[in-house]
Amino acid sequence: MTQFLQIVTTLVVLCYPVAVYFGLNYLPQGSIALVLCSLLLLRFFINKQKLKSLMLPIAAGIVLTMSSYIAKANDWLLYYPVVISTCMLILFAHSLQWGPSIIERLARLKEPDLPESAVPYLNKVTFIWCIFFIINGAIAYYTAAFTSLSTWTLYNGFIAYLLMGILFTGEWLYRTFWLKKR
């Protein structure tokens, strides 16, 4: 049952912009905030011991959705992608400052005996992700503050994910093909 709830809450978090779009257009005032807050709370308790680094964005989402519900301010829901980008920037930048970087940790999951010569490259990749989160957060803020709900949903529910996928795939291709030739 826990695994099923994990999958459902993951899908809801990934589909957050689409859920907000449909909730604000088709559900009674405040109901989407309450539903999203409940699902984030569930995710928080499911992940408590597993993914401690993801607790910050989930907790921030709980505060934001609950505040939106209490204040009856639906537009606050639009700032969750900004919160996520900010939290991820903090996590990635903190890992660069205090080490090991997030990307190094992920690389060591696949290759525990990673050579020390790879660490500077992995730190650069982590830095690139930090830049991405700054730009993505700024665009997410702009879409929340100054564009229509449709534009916000398009960017935060599709384009941002596409850009993350391009960055991830581009780095993987570079690492797989270019660095192995050296």
Side-chain angles (χ1 to χ4, degrees):
M1 182 65 160
T2 301
Q3 188 173 4
F4 173 74
L5 291 174
Q6 180 78 23
I7 291 168
V8 169
T9 57
T10 299
L11 288 174
V12 169
V13 169
L14 289 174
C15 296
Y16 179 92
V18 175
V20 168
Y21 177 83
F22 283 106
L24 293 181
N25 282 317
Y26 302 109
L27 296 177
Q29 169 82 16
S31 59
I32 191 63
L34 193 56
V35 167
L36 291 170
C37 184
S38 300
L39 289 168
L40 288 168
L41 274 166
L42 182 61
R43 183 154 179 87
F44 184 84
F45 290 114
I46 289 171
N47 283 341
K48 202 167 196 175
Q49 284 86 23
K50 293 179 186 174
L51 299 170
K52 293 186 188 229
S53 62
L54 293 180
M55 299 310 279
L56 178 62
I58 293 170
I62 292 166
V63 169
L64 186 65
T65 54
M66 181 60 73
S67 299
S68 172
Y69 177 75
I70 292 169
K72 295 180 180 16
N74 285 334
D75 57 327
W76 291 5
L77 296 173
L78 303 179
Y79 292 93
Y80 188 55
V82 179
V83 169
I84 292 295
S85 283
T86 303
C87 290
M88 297 307 286
L89 172 62
I90 290 167
L91 292 170
F92 275 60
H94 181 269
S95 76
L96 269 179
Q97 178 72 30
W98 303 106
S101 72
I102 296 282
I103 301 297
E104 180 183 343
R105 291 179 203 173
L106 292 173
R108 287 191 186 280
L109 291 175
K110 186 176 180 185
E111 194 175 331
D113 298 326
L114 196 66
E116 278 302 310
S117 60
V119 172
Y121 170 77
L122 298 171
N123 287 342
K124 286 179 188 173
V125 173
T126 303
F127 181 74
I128 290 169
W129 275 102
C130 287
I131 293 169
F132 173 82
F133 290 128
I134 291 168
I135 294 168
N136 187 62
I139 295 170
Y141 175 79
Y142 179 81
T143 62
F146 303 111
T147 68
S148 68
L149 181 60
S150 296
T151 302
W152 175 86
T153 305
L154 176 64
Y155 180 77
N156 293 289
F158 178 69
I159 295 171
Y161 290 130
L162 182 65
L163 293 173
M164 282 184 250
I166 289 169
L167 179 56
F168 180 82
T169 303
E171 188 281 324
W172 179 81
L173 288 170
Y174 175 78
R175 183 173 20 95
T176 302
F177 296 108
W178 181 255
L179 290 181
K180 290 211 176 185
K181 287 182 181 179
R182 292 180 159 198

